[in-house]
Amino acid sequence: MSAPLLAGKVAIVTGAGRSLGRAYALALADAGAAVVVNDVDGETAAQTVADIRSAGGRAVASVGPVGPTETADALVAAAVDEFGRLDILVANAGVLRDRVLWKMGDDDFDAVIATHLRGSFTCGRAAATYLREQGEGGRIILIGSPAGQFGSFGQTNYATAKAGLVAMARTWSLELARAGITANAVVPTALSPMTATIPAYTQVYEDYVAGAPIPVEYRRDHALGTPEDVASLIVWLASDAAADVTGQAIGIGGDRLTLYAHPTVLRTLDQDGGWSPEQIDEAWHAQLAAQAQHSGPQKD
């Protein structure tokens, strides 16, 4: 029998007490990695650790909110103190504070940015610092969202953070390449408490929690599956098989695997001496409007 895919590796997973983060931690452990399980809720973190250990894996809990540098440093310290090294960071922790723009308060915006964006930054910085010193490469996996790719009504804070995480991964892929450290963003679409807040998926989520299978049309046409469906991509990106994959935004959900394009220039026009408002208006309607980009996810 071949060795487990991640034998000897050590991973940190933030927000691993429930839902997608829990699925990532369990899958990484099942693939052979030792896991530092982070969550702000100590009970759920402890339960994930207990489940990993009962299955024969290795895990330790590190409880605290992501965002503060102290939490990030504590996570790296837990990995090194308990397991002797660090190889993988999955920055998954997040919160929702949905409001339309004119009703979104400062606290709503700041809480989401602090957890998703700053939390990934501080954890990524702490992990990269240690991985560079360790000198054996590594994997940093950030968690994006379709909201960050297309925009999402009522989610200025969340969409902004998720778009920023893709840019963060692409930037880190450049900065960390010489150290053999990859940085990628995973864009999951899975049933979760967050997904359940979307009216179109509330009943599907409730049925799923009650034990019903996810209808084929949701898995295929909506790319909506289980957290375990997403975990397969996390494990692969964490493995040596993906050593040459970096700076990518890769989506997965249900039956669908998606590679997202980098932002690209669609068209350029040159005008001697620059552009007047009237010339811009003429050029827009005559040559550019047909290529205008849409907000929100588009049907195939």
Side-chain angles (χ1 to χ4, degrees), residues 272-285:
D272 291 342
W275 293 85
S276 69
E278 293 77 15
Q279 289 169 325
I280 293 171
D281 182 69
E282 181 181 355
W284 175 262
H285 289 98

Side-chain angles (χ1 to χ4, degrees), residues 156-272:
T156 293
N157 44 13
Y158 182 75
T160 298
K162 291 304 190 180
L165 289 171
V166 174
M168 196 177 282
R170 288 175 176 151
T171 300
W172 292 352
S173 75
L174 302 174
E175 295 177 345
L176 299 173
R178 289 185 62 184
I181 302 166
T182 67
N184 292 285
V186 167
V187 181
T189 47
L191 289 173
S192 71
M194 286 189 180
T195 312
T197 65
I198 302 171
Y201 298 139
T202 301
Q203 188 60 54
V204 179
Y205 176 76
E206 292 176 356
D207 292 345
Y208 164 71
V209 171
I214 300 171
V216 172
E217 62 267 26
Y218 282 93
R219 290 188 58 87
R220 184 186 60 231
D221 300 334
H222 296 253
L224 194 63
T226 68
E228 290 72 25
D229 291 323
V230 181
S232 295
L233 178 57
I234 300 292
V235 170
W236 178 72
L237 284 173
S239 74
D240 292 341
D244 61 345
V245 181
T246 192
Q248 303 304 305
I250 306 175
I252 190 169
D255 298 335
R256 183 174 298 170
L257 183 66
T258 302
L259 178 61
Y260 287 95
H262 288 236
T264 185
V265 176
L266 295 175
R267 181 95 182 263
T268 61
L269 301 174
D270 297 309
Q271 173 73 30
D272 291 342

Side-chain angles (χ1 to χ4, degrees), residues 1-292:
M1 295 179 63
S2 60
L5 197 60
L6 300 178
K9 305 291 187 181
V10 178
I12 294 169
V13 183
T14 67
R18 55 174 61 85
S19 193
L20 285 130
R22 170 182 164 82
Y24 303 158
L26 293 172
L28 290 166
D30 187 60
V35 184
V36 176
V37 174
N38 161 262
D39 204 277
V40 71
D41 184 333
E43 290 187 8
T44 61
Q47 185 60 59
T48 300
V49 168
D51 290 342
I52 290 173
R53 289 177 176 174
S54 67
R58 297 181 297 156
V60 65
S62 182
V63 179
V66 300
T69 294
E70 293 77 12
T71 300
D73 291 342
L75 291 172
V76 174
V80 177
D81 293 347
E82 188 74 18
F83 305 116
R85 59 182 295 114
L86 174 64
D87 302 280
I88 302 152
L89 167 68
V90 181
N92 165 77
V95 296
L96 286 179
R97 298 288 187 274
D98 291 356
R99 301 283 189 279
V100 291
L101 174 61
W102 54 94
K103 293 183 178 180
M104 183 172 289
D106 292 355
D107 290 346
D108 297 324
F109 186 83
D110 292 345
V112 172
I113 297 300
T115 304
H116 289 274
L117 201 56
R118 192 176 195 276
S120 295
F121 162 68
T122 55
C123 290
R125 180 179 59 187
T129 300
Y130 181 82
L131 290 171
R132 290 180 74 250
E133 293 173 353
Q134 185 172 259
E136 299 178 31
R139 305 283 181 268
I140 296 177
I141 302 170
L142 307 182
I143 306 300
S145 167
Q149 301 296 308
F150 305 113
S152 180
F153 188 96
Q155 293 190 314
T156 293
N157 44 13
Y158 182 75
T160 298
K162 291 304 190 180
L165 289 171
V166 174
M168 196 177 282
R170 288 175 176 151
T171 300
W172 292 352
S173 75
L174 302 174
E175 295 177 345
L176 299 173
R178 289 185 62 184
I181 302 166
T182 67
N184 292 285
V186 167
V187 181
T189 47
L191 289 173
S192 71
M194 286 189 180
T195 312
T197 65
I198 302 171
Y201 298 139
T202 301
Q203 188 60 54
V204 179
Y205 176 76
E206 292 176 356
D207 292 345
Y208 164 71
V209 171
I214 300 171
V216 172
E217 62 267 26
Y218 282 93
R219 290 188 58 87
R220 184 186 60 231
D221 300 334
H222 296 253
L224 194 63
T226 68
E228 290 72 25
D229 291 323
V230 181
S232 295
L233 178 57
I234 300 292
V235 170
W236 178 72
L237 284 173
S239 74
D240 292 341
D244 61 345
V245 181
T246 192
Q248 303 304 305
I250 306 175
I252 190 169
D255 298 335
R256 183 174 298 170
L257 183 66
T258 302
L259 178 61
Y260 287 95
H262 288 236
T264 185
V265 176
L266 295 175
R267 181 95 182 263
T268 61
L269 301 174
D270 297 309
Q271 173 73 30
D272 291 342
W275 293 85
S276 69
E278 293 77 15
Q279 289 169 325
I280 293 171
D281 182 69
E282 181 181 355
W284 175 262
H285 289 98
Q287 301 183 66
L288 299 179
Q291 293 178 276

